[in-house]
């Protein structure tokens, strides 16, 4: 049966972030990508409002007649390339959270996970790429940045460039293949399970460690933009979107402050570095800025090399100075408001 634009829009509105409209149109790779990223982190889902008619037309053309193979590669798409990089980093981050205890993680597990994310974006729509070469680019790049917290970025860039260089159109579909909903859902379920199972295991069995990791990541992200309160506010708004959606679905109060308080507590969790700084200055976890300044002045005076002949005085004075700078950053204005 011919696909209808109104049905596609209805599914986009009801379950767009889960890829229901793509599943309806036979775009299984796109549907899986949306399931794993909640609609391309929300941005891709909103962008599709104007693209759905083209998706429906493409699906109906495939159903009416067999698509002819094309030898020329598809044009380069900056949006697709950006999506490859972002999803590659996203898959790498998920692997870091859920699979970093595995042997040879940085040499095998991390690059393969990121290569799968990049290839998933490469496979959206009528395009695809060479999976083997994409994974090879990841495996070759990973040892160069072994163990670095920034390694997902260069690995994802290398994989995305390789995938773009080897882009091509998919071969024609087998007539009636998109009508086999059962096998399609089965494959999508297996793919979703393979992605979510390690992350779910990590969340439920390492809850505390996961929360600390998330709080440190969010706090570090917001800390970058502490001097731009407008941008910081926009990022915080995005973080609160899941709560607002929950309120709409459950009929709860949209302006309830409960989630904001939870988020504030989460973001105010001290990192390990800040806990060490508190110990150096002999302070409690809820120390005020005034208490931090007072303790710093007292300890700096005590351990200053000009006043303390102890040979470890200079080393301790440097520790006191570094601890004070760490805690001052934590008390930057507008960081958590």
């Amino acid at each position: 049966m011919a696909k209808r634009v109104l049905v596609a829009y209805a599914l986009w509105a009801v379950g767009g972030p889960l890829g229901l409209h793509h599943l309806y149109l036979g775009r299984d790779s796109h549907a899986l990508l949306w399931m794993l990223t909640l609609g391309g982190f929300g941005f891709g889902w909103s962008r599709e409002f104007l693209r759905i008619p083209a998706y429906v037309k493409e699906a109906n053309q495939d159903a009416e007649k067999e698509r002819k193979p094309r030898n020329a590669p598809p044009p380069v798409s900056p949006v697709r390339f950006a999506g490859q990089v972002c999803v590659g980093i996203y898959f790498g981050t998920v692997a870091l959270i859920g699979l970093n205890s595995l042997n040879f993680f940085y040499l095998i597990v991390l690059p393969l996970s990121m290569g799968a994310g990049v290839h998933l974006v490469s496979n959206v729509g009528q395009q695809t790429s060479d999976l083997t070469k994409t994974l090879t680019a990841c495996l070759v790049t990973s040892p160069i940045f072994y163990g670095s917290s920034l390694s997902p970025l260069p690995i994802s860039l290398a994989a995305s460039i390789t995938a773009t260089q080897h882009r091509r159109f998919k071969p024609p579909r087998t007539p009636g293949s998109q009508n086999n909903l059962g096998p399609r859902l089965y494959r999508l379920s297996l793919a979703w399970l393979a992605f979510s199972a390690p992350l779910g295991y990590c969340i439920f069995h390492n809850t505390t460690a996961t929360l600390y990791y998330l709080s440190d990541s969010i706090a570090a992200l917001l800390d970058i933009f502490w001097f731009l309160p407008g941008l910081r506010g926009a990022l915080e708004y995005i973080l609160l979107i899941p709560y607002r959606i929950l309120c709409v679905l459950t009929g709860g109060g949209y302006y309830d402050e409960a989630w904001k308080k939870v988020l504030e507590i989460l973001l105010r969790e001290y990192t390990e570095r800040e806990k060490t700084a508190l110990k150096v200055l002999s302070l409690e976890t809820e120390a005020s800025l005034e208490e931090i300044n007072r303790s710093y002045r007292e300890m700096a005076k005590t351990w200053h090399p000009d006043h303390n002949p102890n040979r470890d005085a200079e080393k301790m004075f440097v520790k006191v100075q570094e601890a004070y700078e760490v805690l001052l950053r934590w008390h930057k204005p507008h960081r958590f408001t």
Side-chain angles (χ1 to χ4, degrees):
M1 294 179 61
K3 306 300 181 182
R4 299 182 180 276
V5 173
L6 289 179
V7 175
Y9 269 115
L11 292 173
W12 172 86
V14 173
L18 297 178
L20 291 185
H21 55 303
H22 290 304
L23 189 63
Y24 167 70
L25 297 174
R27 301 168 62 89
D28 290 354
S29 296
H30 213 156
L32 178 61
L33 177 63
W34 260 214
M35 291 176 189
L36 300 182
T37 62
L38 290 180
F41 314 108
F43 299 107
W45 170 68
S46 58
R47 176 177 173 268
E48 288 181 330
F49 180 79
L50 299 177
R51 298 182 59 83
I52 285 180
Y55 291 156
V56 173
K57 181 180 179 181
E58 179 183 303
N60 287 332
Q61 286 178 344
D62 285 347
E64 290 174 2
K65 56 183 179 180
E66 185 176 309
R67 179 160 40 92
K68 295 181 180 180
R70 285 175 277 188
N71 296 323
V76 176
S77 170
V79 175
R80 185 182 292 264
F81 181 81
Q84 289 170 332
V85 175
C86 292
V87 174
I89 294 174
Y90 171 60
F91 272 51
T93 303
V94 172
L96 283 167
I97 295 174
L99 300 173
N100 60 4
S101 61
L102 296 178
N103 294 331
F104 306 106
F105 173 77
Y106 284 100
L107 291 177
I108 298 177
V109 179
L110 180 62
L112 290 182
S113 300
M114 298 185 65
V118 171
H119 185 70
L120 179 59
V121 180
S122 304
N123 218 39
V124 164
Q126 295 184 343
Q127 295 187 32
T128 186
S129 186
D130 192 316
L131 175 60
T132 302
K133 293 181 180 178
T134 300
L135 294 179
T136 301
C138 293
L139 292 170
V140 170
T141 309
S142 183
I144 301 174
F145 302 92
Y146 182 89
S148 171
S149 58
L150 298 177
S151 60
L153 177 58
I155 296 173
S156 184
L157 280 171
S160 300
I161 292 172
T162 303
T164 302
Q165 290 176 338
H166 297 90
R167 68 193 183 279
R168 64 177 185 269
F169 285 105
K170 292 178 180 177
R173 293 173 178 171
T174 303
S177 61
Q178 296 305 310
N179 296 327
N180 300 324
L181 185 59
R184 291 168 55 204
L185 290 176
Y186 175 72
R187 290 192 294 267
L188 288 174
S189 299
L190 288 180
W192 182 86
L193 185 62
F195 177 88
S196 60
L199 187 61
Y201 174 84
C202 179
I203 291 175
F204 287 109
H205 292 275
N206 301 282
T207 305
T208 302
T210 303
L211 285 177
Y212 272 117
Y213 179 86
L214 291 175
S215 64
D216 287 350
S217 299
I218 296 172
L221 175 63
L222 293 181
D223 189 42
I224 295 174
F225 305 104
W226 70 271
F227 56 92
L228 295 173
L231 180 58
R232 224 197 121 280
L235 290 174
E236 183 181 6
Y237 178 83
I238 293 173
L239 291 173
L240 291 174
I241 286 178
Y243 171 72
R244 295 189 172 96
I245 294 176
L246 181 63
C247 285
V248 172
L249 295 177
T250 60
Y254 183 80
Y255 294 101
D256 188 6
E257 296 294 320
W259 177 258
K260 287 188 177 181
K261 292 179 180 178
V262 172
L263 182 64
E264 183 183 26
I265 293 172
L266 181 66
L267 295 182
R268 281 189 177 274
E269 284 288 348
Y270 282 98
T271 64
E272 290 301 320
R273 189 179 180 190
E274 288 160 352
K275 289 179 181 178
T276 302
L278 288 170
K279 290 181 181 178
V280 171
L281 295 180
S282 301
L283 293 169
E284 300 295 331
T285 55
E286 296 300 327
S288 64
L289 183 59
E290 182 181 354
E291 292 171 330
I292 292 173
N293 288 328
R294 182 169 60 250
S295 178
Y296 165 70
R297 286 194 296 268
E298 293 174 356
M299 296 194 71
K301 184 178 180 180
T302 301
W303 292 102
H304 198 286
D306 294 341
H307 303 130
N308 193 323
N310 192 313
R311 61 181 181 180
D312 294 329
E314 184 176 355
K315 186 184 297 185
M316 188 61 189
F317 180 77
V318 172
K319 282 187 177 180
V320 169
Q321 187 72 31
E322 291 176 349
Y324 180 62
E325 292 175 356
V326 167
L327 295 179
L328 276 187
R329 283 198 296 271
W330 194 84
H331 278 276
K332 280 177 182 175
H334 308 301
R335 179 174 177 183
F336 299 111
T337 55

